[in-house]
Amino acid sequence: MSSHDKLLLAGILAAGLLAAPALAFDFGRPATPQEIKLWDIDVGPDGKGLPDGSGTAVQGKQIFADNCAACHGDNGQGGIKDRLAGGQGTLASNMPIKTVGSFWPYATTLFDYIHRAMPYPTPGSLSTDETYAVTAYILSLNGIVAADGKVDKESLPKIRMPNRDGFIPEPEFDPARLFRKK
């Protein structure tokens, strides 16, 4: 077999391997409602999706020390990862400090992020009540919730974050404009 024939054969083989996944339409099965529910854990700014449960800042202090302080530092500052507390009033300065208390627009986003992505390296390992407690503690570090405050699915969406109105939507990204039927 000549080198030209070998090259042609290799090209045909490669094209066949690349086309094979396109024909794989019969893999898997539809997810069951129970399986979908396991993954349907996002929380909206309005609190839609928040689970039942509650936690206090006092409870959250120890949970934070055990699971979060190694990365975020004691009291949410000074760690190797993002600073979580402080920075209020700095966003318009030359050295803005973006923290939960200075930058984030919704308290529900904090719960959602902790619940789905923290603590590193075991995301999702905190219970719902522990997640509420850590959320309350971080909010208390920023003066948004009292040091003995409690949060739950009813109270968390009602918290007005200091930078709630700091995000100004660009008109070209208005969902009403983007997704209207023509």
Side-chain angles (χ1 to χ4, degrees):
M1 186 180 274
S2 72
S3 63
H4 178 56
D5 291 339
K6 289 180 184 177
L7 186 59
L8 180 62
L9 183 61
I12 291 170
L13 183 62
L17 289 173
L18 290 173
L23 301 174
F25 57 87
D26 199 23
F27 284 127
R29 61 174 173 70
T32 67
Q34 295 83 8
E35 291 168 333
I36 292 170
K37 188 175 180 177
L38 290 173
W39 286 95
D40 188 16
I41 60 169
D42 63 309
V43 176
D46 62 356
K48 184 178 181 217
L50 280 170
D52 290 330
S54 66
T56 67
V58 172
Q59 295 163 332
K61 184 174 185 174
Q62 186 60 52
I63 299 165
F64 185 91
D66 294 343
N67 295 279
C68 314
C71 291
H72 296 288
D74 295 331
N75 301 315
Q77 299 182 46
I80 58 173
K81 294 295 181 184
D82 290 346
R83 182 176 172 176
L84 302 176
Q88 286 87 345
T90 67
L91 294 183
S93 73
N94 290 335
M95 300 288 289
I97 299 170
K98 294 180 179 179
T99 69
V100 170
S102 70
F103 187 69
W104 289 37
Y106 301 103
T108 54
T109 305
L110 178 60
F111 177 94
D112 182 55
Y113 187 75
I114 294 167
H115 190 56
R116 289 197 279 155
M118 292 289 128
Y120 178 83
T122 57
S125 62
L126 297 179
S127 71
T128 299
D129 288 339
E130 289 172 325
T131 303
Y132 275 117
V134 170
T135 300
Y137 178 65
I138 293 170
L139 293 171
S140 77
L141 291 175
N142 285 282
I144 297 166
V145 167
D148 61 350
K150 175 183 173 185
V151 296
D152 57 27
K153 73 187 268 181
E154 301 302 322
S155 63
L156 199 59
K158 295 175 184 171
I159 293 172
R160 184 139 182 96
M161 298 294 280
N163 197 39
R164 167 74 64 89
D165 298 324
F167 290 82
I168 302 164
E170 294 288 338
E172 62 266 20
F173 296 112
D174 178 9
R177 187 171 157 226
L178 287 172
F179 301 110
R180 71 173 173 244
K181 296 191 182 204
K182 296 178 183 181

